[in-house]
Amino acid sequence: MATPRKFFDFAEFREYVLSIYLGYYPTTGSVLGLHEYDPLVEDYSAPRREEYLHEIRDALIILERDFSGASSDLTRYECRMIHWKLRDEIFRLTELKEFEWNPMAYNGQLELSHLIDRDFAPVTDRMRSVLARLRAYPRILAVARQNLGSKLDRTIVETSIESLEGILQYLDTLPAKYEGKVQDGALIQDLGDAIPSARMAISTFLEAIRTVVLPKAMYDSFRLGPELFERFVHSAELVEDSLETLLDKGRREMDRLTLELYRVSEELDSKLTPKEVFHTYIESDHSSEQTILSQTTNMLERIRAFLIQNNIVAIPSEIRCSVKETPAHMRWAFAAMDSPGAFEKVATEAFYYVTLPEASWDEAKRKEFLHGLNRSVLEIISIHEAYPGHYVHFLHIQKAKSKVGKTFASYAFIEGWAHYTEEMMLEQGWGSGDARIRLAYIQEALIRAARYIAAIELHSRTMTLSEAQHMFEEKALLRPHAARREAERGVFDPGYLFYMLGKMQIKELRARMQRAEGEDFSLFEFHNQLLSHGSPPVKIVGEMMEG
């Protein structure tokens, strides 16, 4: 075996690591705003995977051999981040192997919206990258068929079919996005040829899934098992607790929130159960389909002003996020934030997507959907997604000093920060004690607690989907359709426990720093320092902030 190469200094090594990582995940580079990656897509074939694994294993040897004694805080932080990421990549490719059991692992390679919706380059240049991506669809899906096992979990397969149908709908809208804007006749012709070919590739893949994979797919065959699931949590977030300890923490948080649920419900109506109170006083107060987007825009301005007036966290830009209806292929969530990449230098468009009822739904289903997107819950969701959640976090990431911190991201930090802000904002006075806003927050927190418990129970115990759905209905007050969707997400997204895990980690870090700093502790400075690192595992940012 050849000796791993030597590097002149850590900066050269860091650039090498980032180049091999983004070389394997070019669509990630593109989304981050590194536009040299725009025309490229991943190659998840076995030979390329083995080549990448060899590269990152060598990089890990070099890091431990040559750069274990970092001098500056920034270098120490980047060494720690690289060490975590390389080890986690090896785990994901050699043990977790999502590319073998989840068809949705390939969806990111089919994503085009950030190339189309963000004006970072002339539309003709962006559409040439779109063309290159479209032409790669057949190869992407051929590799997917090679990698995926013959017997997949039925829930995952059904969800994947739904997701791919959404991408087909998005491709149908594609010509309208460039017609009249692109003047290059040859490019228009090429796009006109590539879109049907891309649709055909997806349709052929879907047909194979429906006729070959789906008949063999069995419900309740998704479980990672306790050993693999525990290694997944430890690897992804550097958590050292056992599953038993993690599950105990989740149940205690569920109990705490449930007691608060009863207290707040009684303030609104002591004669009704919490579920009845929620349905009567919270769900019934929602915007119409025609006004919800404009009212959400006004809501964001009120939340933003509150942050500034109360000195809660810095907002590093005057640029607002635009409220838009969720695109067809992203409609699995009530709302979502789509910000520019950490390295983006030109485009400033950030989209806060709010999902409206489907045109094909009957009146009863439309009403049920709007109940879930009521005014009080939408305020909590907007705090999570925009101010001071994901959008404010993105603004800080763009100003981060570390290229590694801008590139590598922890699921628990990203979602934990956004979930943490919901509770923190109420602590700081948002809602002026309104019991409806407090109840909306408690429900959102109970959903995250139910996700946390469901992920562990589904993948390392014997909980069934029906039992998970029942928990979301009874504990988190969700209606049956939404509860089923939450349960199903735990099947293909075992990491959705990280919302609550990250929130608890951030709260624990804040409490430690408050004890250490006493009267000198500043919530404003804590938040700004926390976000200045990018999106590292909370354990790593805690090491940096606590010295």
Side-chain angles (χ1 to χ4, degrees):
M1 180 181 293
T3 302
R5 59 183 284 192
K6 284 278 190 179
F7 288 86
F8 178 72
D9 57 17
F10 176 74
E12 182 188 12
F13 172 71
R14 178 193 62 210
E15 295 305 313
Y16 169 71
V17 170
L18 293 177
S19 71
I20 59 175
Y21 175 76
L22 295 173
Y24 191 70
Y25 299 107
T27 59
T28 297
S30 177
V31 169
L32 285 169
L34 299 169
H35 295 299
E36 63 268 31
Y37 294 103
D38 286 348
L40 308 177
V41 296
E42 283 77 0
D43 177 0
Y44 285 165
S45 66
R48 177 66 181 103
R49 186 167 62 251
E50 288 304 313
E51 178 185 31
Y52 175 58
L53 275 167
H54 177 74
E55 291 172 336
I56 58 178
R57 282 173 172 141
D58 271 3
L60 188 59
I61 292 171
I62 295 166
L63 176 66
E64 294 173 345
R65 182 192 67 193
D66 298 337
F67 301 108
S68 58
S71 53
S72 70
D73 286 346
L74 180 59
T75 301
R76 182 163 60 91
Y77 168 67
E78 293 195 323
C79 282
R80 186 76 170 94
M81 283 285 284
I82 291 172
H83 190 267
W84 158 68
K85 192 61 179 178
L86 293 177
R87 289 177 63 87
D88 189 50
E89 280 293 288
I90 293 168
F91 166 79
R92 288 174 183 273
L93 294 176
T94 62
E95 294 189 62
L96 189 62
K97 298 182 179 180
E98 187 179 5
F99 55 85
E100 291 184 352
W101 52 263
N102 186 1
M104 286 177 286
Y106 300 88
N107 283 8
Q109 300 170 258
L110 309 178
E111 179 59 54
L112 302 170
S113 59
H114 73 284
L115 297 174
I116 294 165
D117 295 339
R118 290 207 165 84
D119 194 18
F120 58 82
V123 64
T124 299
D125 292 346
R126 289 184 282 126
M127 292 311 299
R128 288 196 180 100
S129 294
V130 168
L131 175 63
R133 296 272 194 99
L134 289 169
R135 286 173 168 169
Y137 277 25
R139 177 172 59 82
I140 292 167
L141 296 171
V143 170
R145 290 187 65 176
Q146 290 175 351
N147 288 344
L148 289 166
S150 59
K151 294 183 179 180
L152 306 181
D153 178 79
R154 193 172 184 90
T155 298
I156 296 177
V157 173
E158 290 172 344
T159 308
S160 301
I161 289 171
E162 183 180 339
S163 174
L164 287 166
E165 288 173 341
I167 295 173
L168 283 177
Q169 292 178 38
Y170 183 78
L171 290 180
D172 289 339
T173 70
L174 203 50
K177 295 180 181 296
Y178 64 82
E179 285 174 352
K181 300 175 184 177
V182 174
Q183 306 304 318
D184 185 328
L187 177 58
I188 293 172
Q189 179 63 51
D190 287 342
L191 287 165
D193 294 338
I195 293 171
S197 296
R199 290 191 90 268
M200 179 61 72
I202 294 175
S203 297
T204 302
F205 183 74
L206 273 170
E207 183 65 17
I209 292 288
R210 289 192 182 101
T211 60
V212 178
V213 178
L214 191 60
K216 299 178 183 177
M218 301 288 289
Y219 289 119
D220 203 31
S221 61
F222 57 84
R223 302 182 200 280
L224 296 179
E227 293 82 10
L228 181 58
F229 186 77
E230 187 172 77
R231 291 200 299 276
F232 162 62
V233 175
H234 290 179
S235 178
E237 302 299 337
L238 300 174
V239 172
E240 297 175 357
D241 289 338
S242 67
L243 287 185
E244 288 73 20
T245 299
L246 290 171
L247 190 56
D248 181 62
K249 287 182 178 180
R251 287 171 175 158
R252 282 189 276 118
E253 178 70 356
M254 177 76 84
D255 290 343
R256 182 187 74 83
L257 291 166
T258 300
L259 287 173
E260 188 66 16
L261 171 70
Y262 275 90
R263 281 195 289 266
V264 177
S265 297
E266 286 181 358
E267 291 181 32
L268 287 167
D269 196 326
S270 61
K271 297 177 182 178
L272 300 179
T273 67
K275 183 179 286 189
E276 290 168 338
V277 169
F278 192 82
H279 293 337
T280 303
Y281 292 91
I282 309 300
E283 287 192 336
S284 59
D285 181 20
H286 57 76
S287 302
S288 69
E289 294 178 43
Q290 292 72 35
T291 62
I292 193 168
L293 297 182
S294 61
Q295 290 179 354
T296 301
T297 298
N298 294 334
M299 180 193 298
L300 293 186
E301 283 301 306
R302 289 191 288 109
I303 300 172
R304 187 180 187 278
F306 180 87
L307 288 176
I308 295 170
Q309 291 164 6
N310 291 275
N311 217 32
I312 290 172
V313 64
I315 304 177
S317 173
E318 287 294 317
I319 298 170
R320 308 310 202 253
C321 50
S322 301
V323 179
K324 288 192 169 189
E325 183 177 358
T326 308
H329 65 296
M330 295 175 60
R331 297 175 71 86
W332 49 269
F334 276 127
M337 190 70 228
D338 180 13
S339 301
F343 295 97
E344 180 58 61
K345 301 299 184 185
V346 178
T348 59
E349 299 93 344
F351 306 108
Y352 176 29
Y353 292 126
V354 176
T355 304
L356 302 183
E358 299 286 353
S360 60
W361 289 352
D362 60 30
E363 188 62 28
K365 192 170 183 180
R366 300 170 79 85
K367 188 174 182 179
E368 179 180 335
F369 186 88
L370 287 173
H371 278 157
L373 206 56
N374 58 76
R375 295 180 199 275
S376 297
V377 166
L378 188 55
E379 282 195 22
I380 300 301
I381 291 174
S382 297
I383 287 169
H384 179 108
E385 297 292 343
Y387 297 105
H390 290 316
Y391 183 57
V392 170
H393 184 191
F394 147 72
L395 293 175
H396 280 263
I397 291 173
Q398 279 210 317
K399 294 185 176 297
K401 295 178 181 178
S402 168
K403 293 178 72 173
V404 173
K406 287 184 171 186
T407 305
F408 300 151
S410 149
Y411 191 162
F413 188 98
I414 291 172
E415 294 300 346
W417 162 258
H419 184 33
Y420 158 84
T421 64
E422 302 164 17
E423 182 176 356
M424 179 273 296
M425 285 286 281
L426 268 63
E427 292 172 350
Q428 298 304 307
W430 176 259
S432 303
D434 187 333
R436 293 169 301 176
I437 301 298
R438 287 157 56 207
L439 191 57
Y441 157 69
I442 293 167
Q443 192 224 13
E444 288 296 299
L446 283 167
I447 292 170
R448 281 20 179 273
R451 287 177 180 174
Y452 181 102
I453 293 169
I456 297 173
E457 293 272 17
L458 285 168
H459 284 280
S460 68
R461 302 294 193 273
T462 59
M463 178 179 275
T464 65
L465 269 179
S466 295
E467 289 170 340
Q469 177 181 343
H470 180 74
M471 179 173 63
F472 281 106
E473 289 182 38
E474 295 305 311
K475 294 292 189 179
L477 312 181
L478 288 178
R479 292 182 181 269
H481 176 73
R484 186 68 181 184
R485 299 285 284 189
E486 285 289 347
E488 290 172 344
R489 180 175 170 185
V491 170
F492 63 83
D493 180 14
Y496 80 162
L497 87 160
F498 293 144
Y499 285 75
M500 195 179 90
L501 176 69
K503 180 193 77 171
M504 292 193 297
Q505 289 178 314
I506 291 171
K507 288 178 65 177
E508 290 165 2
L509 174 61
R510 187 181 78 178
R512 293 197 303 270
M513 296 198 69
Q514 283 178 302
R515 288 194 296 269
E517 297 178 12
E519 294 182 356
D520 293 331
F521 178 81
S522 162
L523 188 67
F524 179 77
E525 292 303 330
F526 171 77
H527 290 156
N528 294 337
Q529 188 179 359
L530 182 75
L531 297 183
S532 71
H533 291 85
S535 306
V538 179
K539 181 178 177 64
I540 293 179
V541 75
E543 292 169 356
M544 300 306 298
M545 292 176 68
E546 296 178 284

